[in-house]
Each structure stands twice: as structure tokens, then as C-alpha cells.
Amino acid sequence: MKPIRVIDLLRSQETGKPAEVKGWVRTKRGNKQIAFIAVNDGSIIHSIQVVAEVAKFDEELMKQISTGSCVHVKGILVPSQGSGQAVEIQATEIILLGGADESFPLQKKGHSLEFLREIAHLRPRTNTFGAILRMRHHMAFAVHKYFNDLGFFYLHSPVITGSDAEGAGEMFQVTTLDLKNPPRTEEGEINFKEDFFGKATNLTVSGQLEGELAAMALGNVYTFGPTFRAENSNTPRHLAEFWMIEPEMAFYDIQDNMDLAEDFLKYLIQYALDHCKDDLEFLNNLYDKELIGRLQFVVSNPFERLSYTKAVDILVNSGKKFEFPVKWGTDLQKEHENYLVEHFKRPVILTDYPKEIKAFYMKQNEDGKTVRAMDVLFPWIGEIIGGSQREENYEKLMARITEMHIPEKDLWWYLDTRKYGACEHSGFGLGFERLMLFVTGMTNIRDVIPFPRTPKNADF
Ligand code: ATP
Ligand code: MN
């Protein structure tokens, strides 16, 4: 007989039959006669209750079965006497696989999220992080399922890049040079020709440029991988290492791009509602009573779409005193994004931003002032997706590269797509952890990734 997962046991109708389970003890309570041991194996948020008649077991063993220890329980599955669960295990044999003494830090319920960040190696053993990690899995799977079902191909873009042209953010340098004594050129500069790749290299800030190359061959592709930004932005929505999903589609204009972004987000949120019910209910009850309602609202209402110019009008005419004053041409801050989402009471897609505040590759509009950018703004989170139709015209793209003093020599391969068989195309980037913030209702991005990397923090 194979041990069964708690999720299967709790749903099992096979009462009266032998059952066994392996997992970690969450709590043990009871009296001299009887012990109630909650065993959780991570397969589901709920634990299974193990009932043990104390007299039938070794005294020393019963002492060692404590919060945090790992046990193998054999017994009979029976209808539960208590409320809260349909079935429980009447134990006939308990094997202690791994003990845990009183120094186990998760003794009591209700530790603060801040404290749990300091013990990120153990926090998966809490209900909260069990729920979040299971949901992360389901969301990642849903990303692949969505694109696979639509005929997109998963492209593995490189993590190490030799160009810093994307301009999405500050980069982490990758080097094998001896930092104490690096080789120098005759001018006294560090000589990267002697570095591992024969040039300066960095961790990627985006897979988009490579995504565009593949879209010009496979049609519709997406990347989904780790992304790195060395900005010193210590906010609840920024990580130095995060996961980004970047679809790139040949023959898509900005309308198609917006339609895909909206459909994709709704699909992912519906997937969470359909597949993460227990975990969502737990998070909803403990942290955010409006979580499930908010998710249901977003999937069942159209996003508001308007231009940056109209949005700025709304902000200026709002009469609200923003910390960062807003006028046409300024980059929108989180307070502005939040105001717009509140104003329309739903997610908002802003388009046609001033070209000065957007990347060089975005398609230039006829007006000479704006580009076909699209940002999707979500309640509380602000920007969850940033995307655009891409400039496919070689001359226009080159003019922008020159204007913005972007080192062209790093981009020759990218520019080749505009020389050979260029076509209309579009794409966007969704920050996976920003999505996770939204679907879990957590308010700090450090709590939706197993081991967060932020300024001055790379433990575990
Ligand atoms: P922001 O203005 O919020 O810093 P951005 O405009 O720099 O974001 P993009 O370069 O457009 O971000 O990246 C695409 C998406 O990646 C964003 O919409 C967001 O969801 C996510 N993202 C960007 N930077 C981070 C970060 N440091 N940590 C987590 N997610 C991020
Ligand atoms: Mn952006």
C-alpha cells in the first residue's frame, strides 16, 4: 500500500479501509488519553487529522511528535467525529521520520509576514506560503497552457546578454575577471576583451529583442524566464530578480496586442478562480476579504482603453493635488495610475505615450510626438503589463536610435530583422510577480516569490 497525499485522503470515500500518510506536523493537541495531530504534506492547504490513543504508543515517541516534525502515519481512514473535516486517520502506527525541537520557529499561528521573510527557508511550511507557492505553480502552468492552446511557441531567450541597448533598467554585470586586479587596456580602462565572453556582458533585463527575432520566423512566440534589474527601487512592487512573460506576435497591430493582453490576463485570473479555490478562500479570509470578488469583477468586465493624452486631461482636471505634478509629457507615477484605475473602477489600458518617455523600438505615430505603446494598469498594482507595436521601418527606427544615442554596434542583429522581411508586429511584458500580487491579494512582492532578491538582500 502506497502512502497517499493528504489531498486524496480528504476527498476519499474509502472510510473503514487502511490509509497512510507522510507529512509534517502542524499542531498537536489533546490530553493524556488521546492526541490530535494535524499532518500537512503540502498537497493542499488543509491538514489531515490523525487521532492517536496515547496509551497505544511509546511515551518517548509521542513527546517527539511536535510541531515541525516529519511523520509517517499508518492507520484506518474513518469518518471524523469532530467538525471541520469529513475524514481522519485513526492511527495504528506512527514512525518519526525527522524530529523538530522547540527551537522550530513556526510554533504558533499568526506570524507577521515581515518575520516570515527572515525565515524564508521555512516559510513554505506555513499555510500562507503553501497557498502562494501552489498558486504560483498553477499560474505558471496556466501561462504555458494559454499560449500553447493558442499555437504560440515557447522561446528560451538568453539570460546573459551582450547588449545593454534595451534600456529597460540598470543591469547586473556578469564577469569572470579578477575584480582585485582586472586586466587593463593601454588607456587604463578595464579590458573586457580578456573577459569570459571577450566583451562586457550582463544579466538580461528583457527577452523582447530576441523574442522579435523568433517572431519573424515562427509567427507567435513567448518567453517566460528570469529577468534582472539592478535599480535601487526598494518598493513593494520591484524585485531585482523577477520572472517575466513576453509574447511577441508577427502581424499584430496595437489593437490586436491589447486584445491579447486583456484576454490573457482574464484567462489567468479565471484559471486561478477555477483551480486554486481552497487557497484563494484561505487568503481571502485571512488577508483580504475583497480578493475573490475583485478577481471575479476583473474577469467579467471590459478594461477601459484610452490614450495617454486623454488620461493626462483627466488627471489635470481632477483637481487632485498629486505628490508628482502631472502635465503632458511627464511619465505617470503610481499615484496617477491608481487615480485612473479608481476613476474608471476597472483595469485601464493606456496607449500612445509621448515618445520621449518610451523605448526606442516602439512604433512612431503620424503625429511625430507619440508612440504606439500600451500599458495595462491594475488596481493597487499600477503597471502590470508594458507593451507596444514595434517600429518595423528601418529608417524610422535608425533615426530614433541616433536621436537617443543608443550604441548601434550592439544592435546590428536586431536591425537585420528590419532589413530582411520586416513586418508589422507587437508584443508585451507581464511581470509574473505583479500578476501573483494581484491573484493572491498580497501587498508586498517579496511575499509572492520563494526567495526574493532585493537591494541588500540575497539570503537563502
Ligand atoms: P515600473 O515602471 O513599474 O518600474 P517598467 O516600466 O520599468 O515598470 P517594463 O520594462 O515595462 O517595466 O517591464 C514590463 C513588466 O515587467 C512591467 O509591466 C512589470 O509588470 C514587470 N516589472 C518591471 N520591473 C519589475 C521589477 N523590478 N520587479 C518586478 N516586476 C517588474
Ligand atoms: Mn513599462
Side-chain angles (χ1 to χ4, degrees):
M1 182 176 53
K2 274 217 148 154
I4 317 175
R5 297 178 310 155
V6 171
I7 189 171
D8 302 318
L9 289 171
L10 289 179
R11 288 170 187 173
S12 169
Q13 312 288 327
E14 309 262 292
T15 51
K17 298 225 173 107
E20 57 182 292
V21 67
K22 289 177 182 173
W24 293 269
V25 174
R26 283 293 168 80
T27 56
K28 189 178 88 179
R29 55 188 182 83
N31 52 39
K32 288 208 172 73
Q33 283 81 46
I34 199 146
F36 298 99
I37 306 159
V39 177
N40 187 284
D41 69 353
S43 60
I44 185 172
I45 191 139
H46 309 295
S47 300
I48 189 152
Q49 175 158 285
V50 172
V51 183
E53 279 176 54
V54 176
K56 287 192 185 159
F57 296 89
D58 179 65
E59 201 177 323
E60 191 49 33
L61 172 75
M62 282 317 266
K63 253 194 240 152
Q64 287 176 322
I65 296 169
S66 60
T67 300
S69 61
C70 186
V71 292
H72 181 182
V73 178
K74 300 182 184 179
I76 310 287
L77 194 70
V78 296
S80 180
Q81 307 291 308
S83 61
Q85 66 273 321
V87 292
E88 60 194 22
I89 296 181
Q90 195 82 53
T92 51
E93 187 184 349
I94 304 178
I95 304 150
L96 183 73
L97 298 177
D101 63 18
E102 324 76 61
S103 67
F104 182 64
L106 297 168
Q107 293 294 348
K108 59 178 170 52
K109 283 188 174 179
H111 292 293
S112 74
L113 292 169
E114 288 78 9
F115 170 70
L116 293 178
R117 264 171 238 152
E118 291 167 19
I119 51 162
H121 60 307
L122 292 173
R123 67 180 183 173
R125 298 237 204 134
T126 62
N127 282 335
T128 297
F129 285 89
I132 291 166
L133 293 181
R134 277 185 297 272
M135 285 186 69
R136 243 190 106 95
H137 161 80
H138 287 296
M139 288 293 94
F141 182 79
V143 166
H144 289 298
K145 177 156 171 54
Y146 178 81
F147 285 126
N148 182 66
D149 290 355
L150 271 184
F152 282 53
F153 298 107
Y154 180 25
L155 177 79
H156 299 93
S157 50
V159 168
I160 298 174
T161 65
S163 77
D164 61 358
E166 215 269 347
E170 294 297 308
M171 305 182 103
F172 289 100
Q173 195 166 344
V174 176
T175 182
T176 54
L177 292 180
D178 178 3
L179 293 182
K180 285 196 219 87
N181 184 25
R184 302 271 175 186
T185 62
E186 278 168 20
E187 294 80 37
E189 305 284 329
I190 291 176
N191 187 3
F192 287 106
K193 288 216 174 73
E194 290 191 27
D195 203 349
F196 190 91
F197 296 105
K199 63 189 294 195
T201 49
N202 299 291
L203 294 179
T204 184
V205 293
S206 160
Q208 178 201 319
L209 301 189
E210 289 87 358
E212 285 187 53
L213 309 180
M216 299 297 99
L218 300 172
N220 294 337
V221 300
Y222 69 104
T223 70
F224 184 4
T227 311
F228 305 87
R229 300 203 180 164
E231 291 143 304
N232 208 347
S233 36
N234 236 322
T235 80
R237 295 167 304 118
H238 289 90
L239 290 163
E241 175 182 304
F242 62 102
W243 287 67
M244 184 141 67
I245 300 139
E246 295 179 276
E248 192 69 38
M249 298 76 67
F251 319 117
Y252 270 50
D253 67 11
I254 189 171
Q255 296 300 328
D256 304 324
N257 204 19
M258 284 192 279
D259 291 345
L260 183 76
E262 182 168 340
D263 186 62
F264 180 43
L265 286 167
K266 286 178 170 170
Y267 176 90
L268 294 174
I269 295 165
Q270 186 63 52
Y271 194 94
L273 288 166
D274 293 343
H275 295 84
C276 310
K277 209 165 163 291
D278 290 349
D279 291 328
L280 274 176
E281 273 168 12
F282 171 82
L283 295 169
N284 189 89
N285 294 342
L286 196 62
Y287 293 99
D288 180 352
K289 296 273 187 290
E290 283 154 29
L291 172 62
I292 292 175
R294 196 161 55 239
L295 300 186
Q296 283 164 340
F297 180 86
V298 168
V299 291
S300 48
N301 287 282
F303 296 2
E304 188 72 31
R305 301 183 185 188
L306 72 159
S307 70
Y308 165 93
T309 302
K310 285 201 184 114
V312 169
D313 282 345
I314 291 172
L315 292 167
V316 169
N317 295 330
S318 71
K320 197 172 148 72
K321 252 196 109 43
F322 292 108
E323 190 187 337
F324 296 92
V326 59
K327 63 174 196 317
W328 200 93
T330 53
D331 207 354
L332 297 185
Q333 302 293 325
K334 188 166 177 269
E335 55 172 340
H336 309 129
E337 296 175 344
N338 283 349
Y339 182 89
L340 293 166
V341 172
E342 279 295 309
H343 178 81
F344 290 107
K345 303 224 177 320
R346 63 189 58 217
V348 172
I349 311 184
L350 291 188
T351 57
D352 303 295
Y353 283 70
K355 64 178 182 190
E356 282 74 23
I357 59 171
K358 288 291 180 191
F360 74 94
Y361 49 72
M362 297 192 180
K363 183 157 181 72
Q364 298 157 38
N365 280 321
E366 301 296 313
D367 63 11
K369 292 192 297 194
T370 59
V371 289
R372 262 172 233 177
M374 50 150 248
D375 280 8
V376 182
L377 313 180
F378 255 42
W380 189 81
I381 287 164
E383 182 187 327
I384 195 165
I385 279 181
S388 70
Q389 187 173 333
R390 320 304 191 189
E391 182 58 75
E392 78 272 23
N393 179 286
Y394 182 84
E395 280 74 32
K396 285 187 184 163
L397 187 61
M398 269 313 291
R400 202 67 196 119
I401 286 175
T402 313
E403 253 169 45
M404 291 173 80
H405 308 292
I406 290 164
E408 188 198 329
K409 67 165 178 33
D410 289 344
L411 280 178
W412 62 271
W413 47 272
Y414 180 71
L415 288 163
D416 266 6
T417 55
R418 274 60 171 178
K419 282 199 218 158
Y420 308 121
C423 70
E424 189 170 82
H425 64 290
S426 298
F428 61 79
L430 167 65
F432 187 58
E433 286 74 21
R434 299 239 175 125
L435 170 77
M436 289 309 302
L437 280 175
F438 189 71
V439 294
T440 60
M442 291 285 112
T443 53
N444 193 315
I445 200 161
R446 291 165 181 78
D447 296 332
V448 293
I449 188 163
F451 302 106
R453 300 290 179 250
T454 52
K456 302 279 179 289
N457 174 30
D459 290 337
F460 310 109

